[in-house]
PDB file of all heavy atoms in Angstrom:
ATOM      1  N   LEU A 349      -1.834  27.058 -85.657  1.00  0.00           N
ATOM      2  CA  LEU A 349      -2.882  27.801 -86.368  1.00  0.00           C
ATOM      3  C   LEU A 349      -2.252  28.949 -87.124  1.00  0.00           C
ATOM      4  O   LEU A 349      -1.402  29.672 -86.626  1.00  0.00           O
ATOM      5  CB  LEU A 349      -3.926  28.347 -85.348  1.00  0.00           C
ATOM      6  CG  LEU A 349      -4.671  27.312 -84.524  1.00  0.00           C
ATOM      7  CD1 LEU A 349      -5.566  27.990 -83.500  1.00  0.00           C
ATOM      8  CD2 LEU A 349      -5.449  26.393 -85.411  1.00  0.00           C
ATOM      9  N   GLU A 350      -2.685  29.162 -88.381  1.00  0.00           N
ATOM     10  CA  GLU A 350      -2.094  30.193 -89.192  1.00  0.00           C
ATOM     11  C   GLU A 350      -2.351  31.581 -88.668  1.00  0.00           C
ATOM     12  O   GLU A 350      -1.481  32.410 -88.559  1.00  0.00           O
ATOM     13  CB  GLU A 350      -2.574  30.069 -90.643  1.00  0.00           C
ATOM     14  CG  GLU A 350      -1.875  28.957 -91.329  1.00  0.00           C
ATOM     15  CD  GLU A 350      -1.619  29.255 -92.791  1.00  0.00           C
ATOM     16  OE1 GLU A 350      -1.743  30.413 -93.252  1.00  0.00           O
ATOM     17  OE2 GLU A 350      -1.312  28.307 -93.510  1.00  0.00           O
ATOM     18  N   ASN A 351      -3.637  31.875 -88.365  1.00  0.00           N
ATOM     19  CA  ASN A 351      -3.985  33.188 -87.849  1.00  0.00           C
ATOM     20  C   ASN A 351      -4.980  33.053 -86.724  1.00  0.00           C
ATOM     21  O   ASN A 351      -6.196  33.159 -86.921  1.00  0.00           O
ATOM     22  CB  ASN A 351      -4.549  34.106 -88.956  1.00  0.00           C
ATOM     23  CG  ASN A 351      -4.628  35.530 -88.523  1.00  0.00           C
ATOM     24  OD1 ASN A 351      -4.510  35.836 -87.328  1.00  0.00           O
ATOM     25  ND2 ASN A 351      -4.831  36.414 -89.460  1.00  0.00           N
ATOM     26  N   PRO A 352      -4.487  32.773 -85.499  1.00  0.00           N
ATOM     27  CA  PRO A 352      -5.379  32.517 -84.379  1.00  0.00           C
ATOM     28  C   PRO A 352      -6.362  33.671 -84.085  1.00  0.00           C
ATOM     29  O   PRO A 352      -7.450  33.434 -83.590  1.00  0.00           O
ATOM     30  CB  PRO A 352      -4.406  32.352 -83.193  1.00  0.00           C
ATOM     31  CG  PRO A 352      -3.065  32.209 -83.764  1.00  0.00           C
ATOM     32  CD  PRO A 352      -3.083  32.693 -85.136  1.00  0.00           C
ATOM     33  N   ASP A 353      -5.964  34.917 -84.421  1.00  0.00           N
ATOM     34  CA  ASP A 353      -6.859  36.061 -84.171  1.00  0.00           C
ATOM     35  C   ASP A 353      -8.120  36.001 -84.990  1.00  0.00           C
ATOM     36  O   ASP A 353      -9.102  36.643 -84.628  1.00  0.00           O
ATOM     37  CB  ASP A 353      -6.112  37.373 -84.465  1.00  0.00           C
ATOM     38  CG  ASP A 353      -4.977  37.622 -83.497  1.00  0.00           C
ATOM     39  OD1 ASP A 353      -5.007  37.074 -82.363  1.00  0.00           O
ATOM     40  OD2 ASP A 353      -4.012  38.337 -83.887  1.00  0.00           O
ATOM     41  N   GLU A 354      -8.139  35.235 -86.045  1.00  0.00           N
ATOM     42  CA  GLU A 354      -9.336  35.138 -86.928  1.00  0.00           C
ATOM     43  C   GLU A 354     -10.155  33.893 -86.591  1.00  0.00           C
ATOM     44  O   GLU A 354     -11.199  33.696 -87.209  1.00  0.00           O
ATOM     45  CB  GLU A 354      -8.914  35.126 -88.347  1.00  0.00           C
ATOM     46  CG  GLU A 354      -8.303  36.452 -88.816  1.00  0.00           C
ATOM     47  CD  GLU A 354      -7.877  36.411 -90.259  1.00  0.00           C
ATOM     48  OE1 GLU A 354      -8.174  35.428 -90.981  1.00  0.00           O
ATOM     49  OE2 GLU A 354      -7.266  37.414 -90.682  1.00  0.00           O
ATOM     50  N   ILE A 355      -9.740  33.088 -85.648  1.00  0.00           N
ATOM     51  CA  ILE A 355     -10.463  31.858 -85.319  1.00  0.00           C
ATOM     52  C   ILE A 355     -11.300  32.106 -84.068  1.00  0.00           C
ATOM     53  O   ILE A 355     -10.807  32.376 -82.997  1.00  0.00           O
ATOM     54  CB  ILE A 355      -9.455  30.694 -85.119  1.00  0.00           C
ATOM     55  CG1 ILE A 355      -8.689  30.499 -86.447  1.00  0.00           C
ATOM     56  CG2 ILE A 355     -10.195  29.421 -84.723  1.00  0.00           C
ATOM     57  CD1 ILE A 355      -7.559  29.549 -86.368  1.00  0.00           C
ATOM     58  N   ARG A 356     -12.602  31.970 -84.271  1.00  0.00           N
ATOM     59  CA  ARG A 356     -13.564  32.334 -83.245  1.00  0.00           C
ATOM     60  C   ARG A 356     -13.413  31.553 -81.929  1.00  0.00           C
ATOM     61  O   ARG A 356     -13.503  32.133 -80.870  1.00  0.00           O
ATOM     62  CB  ARG A 356     -14.990  32.181 -83.766  1.00  0.00           C
ATOM     63  CG  ARG A 356     -15.307  33.180 -84.898  1.00  0.00           C
ATOM     64  CD  ARG A 356     -16.574  32.788 -85.637  1.00  0.00           C
ATOM     65  NE  ARG A 356     -17.768  32.930 -84.841  1.00  0.00           N
ATOM     66  CZ  ARG A 356     -18.621  33.919 -84.942  1.00  0.00           C
ATOM     67  NH1 ARG A 356     -18.457  34.847 -85.798  1.00  0.00           N
ATOM     68  NH2 ARG A 356     -19.698  33.925 -84.178  1.00  0.00           N
ATOM     69  N   TYR A 357     -13.147  30.259 -82.005  1.00  0.00           N
ATOM     70  CA  TYR A 357     -13.057  29.482 -80.768  1.00  0.00           C
ATOM     71  C   TYR A 357     -11.822  29.879 -79.949  1.00  0.00           C
ATOM     72  O   TYR A 357     -11.847  29.708 -78.714  1.00  0.00           O
ATOM     73  CB  TYR A 357     -13.156  27.972 -80.985  1.00  0.00           C
ATOM     74  CG  TYR A 357     -11.846  27.331 -81.524  1.00  0.00           C
ATOM     75  CD1 TYR A 357     -10.821  27.011 -80.687  1.00  0.00           C
ATOM     76  CD2 TYR A 357     -11.713  27.065 -82.876  1.00  0.00           C
ATOM     77  CE1 TYR A 357      -9.664  26.427 -81.152  1.00  0.00           C
ATOM     78  CE2 TYR A 357     -10.573  26.484 -83.359  1.00  0.00           C
ATOM     79  CZ  TYR A 357      -9.525  26.163 -82.499  1.00  0.00           C
ATOM     80  OH  TYR A 357      -8.375  25.609 -82.975  1.00  0.00           O
ATOM     81  N   VAL A 358     -10.809  30.402 -80.566  1.00  0.00           N
ATOM     82  CA  VAL A 358      -9.632  30.837 -79.827  1.00  0.00           C
ATOM     83  C   VAL A 358     -10.006  32.080 -78.979  1.00  0.00           C
ATOM     84  O   VAL A 358      -9.712  32.090 -77.779  1.00  0.00           O
ATOM     85  CB  VAL A 358      -8.462  31.136 -80.771  1.00  0.00           C
ATOM     86  CG1 VAL A 358      -7.321  31.809 -80.014  1.00  0.00           C
ATOM     87  CG2 VAL A 358      -7.953  29.858 -81.433  1.00  0.00           C
ATOM     88  N   ALA A 359     -10.664  33.036 -79.612  1.00  0.00           N
ATOM     89  CA  ALA A 359     -11.090  34.236 -78.866  1.00  0.00           C
ATOM     90  C   ALA A 359     -12.073  33.834 -77.770  1.00  0.00           C
ATOM     91  O   ALA A 359     -11.988  34.298 -76.628  1.00  0.00           O
ATOM     92  CB  ALA A 359     -11.678  35.236 -79.826  1.00  0.00           C
ATOM     93  N   HIS A 360     -13.027  32.974 -78.086  1.00  0.00           N
ATOM     94  CA  HIS A 360     -14.017  32.467 -77.135  1.00  0.00           C
ATOM     95  C   HIS A 360     -13.321  31.816 -75.914  1.00  0.00           C
ATOM     96  O   HIS A 360     -13.583  32.154 -74.770  1.00  0.00           O
ATOM     97  CB  HIS A 360     -14.981  31.502 -77.752  1.00  0.00           C
ATOM     98  CG  HIS A 360     -15.708  30.601 -76.802  1.00  0.00           C
ATOM     99  ND1 HIS A 360     -16.765  31.071 -76.025  1.00  0.00           N
ATOM    100  CD2 HIS A 360     -15.559  29.311 -76.520  1.00  0.00           C
ATOM    101  CE1 HIS A 360     -17.216  30.051 -75.276  1.00  0.00           C
ATOM    102  NE2 HIS A 360     -16.483  28.996 -75.548  1.00  0.00           N
ATOM    103  N   SER A 361     -12.362  30.928 -76.194  1.00  0.00           N
ATOM    104  CA  SER A 361     -11.642  30.234 -75.163  1.00  0.00           C
ATOM    105  C   SER A 361     -10.816  31.216 -74.296  1.00  0.00           C
ATOM    106  O   SER A 361     -10.723  31.011 -73.046  1.00  0.00           O
ATOM    107  CB  SER A 361     -10.694  29.183 -75.759  1.00  0.00           C
ATOM    108  OG  SER A 361     -11.468  28.172 -76.398  1.00  0.00           O
ATOM    109  N   LYS A 362     -10.235  32.225 -74.907  1.00  0.00           N
ATOM    110  CA  LYS A 362      -9.482  33.241 -74.153  1.00  0.00           C
ATOM    111  C   LYS A 362     -10.435  33.979 -73.192  1.00  0.00           C
ATOM    112  O   LYS A 362     -10.092  34.136 -71.998  1.00  0.00           O
ATOM    113  CB  LYS A 362      -8.790  34.185 -75.092  1.00  0.00           C
ATOM    114  CG  LYS A 362      -8.025  35.281 -74.331  1.00  0.00           C
ATOM    115  CD  LYS A 362      -6.616  35.365 -74.775  1.00  0.00           C
ATOM    116  CE  LYS A 362      -5.748  36.427 -74.107  1.00  0.00           C
ATOM    117  NZ  LYS A 362      -6.161  36.986 -72.848  1.00  0.00           N
ATOM    118  N   TYR A 363     -11.575  34.350 -73.666  1.00  0.00           N
ATOM    119  CA  TYR A 363     -12.573  35.035 -72.790  1.00  0.00           C
ATOM    120  C   TYR A 363     -13.012  34.123 -71.664  1.00  0.00           C
ATOM    121  O   TYR A 363     -13.135  34.528 -70.508  1.00  0.00           O
ATOM    122  CB  TYR A 363     -13.768  35.553 -73.564  1.00  0.00           C
ATOM    123  CG  TYR A 363     -13.472  36.813 -74.356  1.00  0.00           C
ATOM    124  CD1 TYR A 363     -13.581  36.845 -75.729  1.00  0.00           C
ATOM    125  CD2 TYR A 363     -13.085  37.998 -73.695  1.00  0.00           C
ATOM    126  CE1 TYR A 363     -13.310  38.012 -76.466  1.00  0.00           C
ATOM    127  CE2 TYR A 363     -12.816  39.153 -74.395  1.00  0.00           C
ATOM    128  CZ  TYR A 363     -12.940  39.172 -75.778  1.00  0.00           C
ATOM    129  OH  TYR A 363     -12.702  40.313 -76.460  1.00  0.00           O
ATOM    130  N   VAL A 364     -13.298  32.833 -71.976  1.00  0.00           N
ATOM    131  CA  VAL A 364     -13.704  31.881 -70.968  1.00  0.00           C
ATOM    132  C   VAL A 364     -12.653  31.754 -69.901  1.00  0.00           C
ATOM    133  O   VAL A 364     -12.921  31.842 -68.676  1.00  0.00           O
ATOM    134  CB  VAL A 364     -14.042  30.532 -71.594  1.00  0.00           C
ATOM    135  CG1 VAL A 364     -14.235  29.453 -70.489  1.00  0.00           C
ATOM    136  CG2 VAL A 364     -15.308  30.583 -72.467  1.00  0.00           C
ATOM    137  N   GLY A 365     -11.389  31.614 -70.313  1.00  0.00           N
ATOM    138  CA  GLY A 365     -10.295  31.480 -69.347  1.00  0.00           C
ATOM    139  C   GLY A 365     -10.081  32.715 -68.507  1.00  0.00           C
ATOM    140  O   GLY A 365      -9.885  32.649 -67.300  1.00  0.00           O
TER     141      GLY A 365
END
Side-chain angles (χ1 to χ4, degrees):
L349 299 177
E350 283 216 15
N351 192 346
D353 294 335
E354 294 179 6
I355 300 173
R356 294 166 67 104
Y357 76 82
V358 170
H360 161 75
S361 295
K362 178 127 178 21
Y363 283 119
V364 170

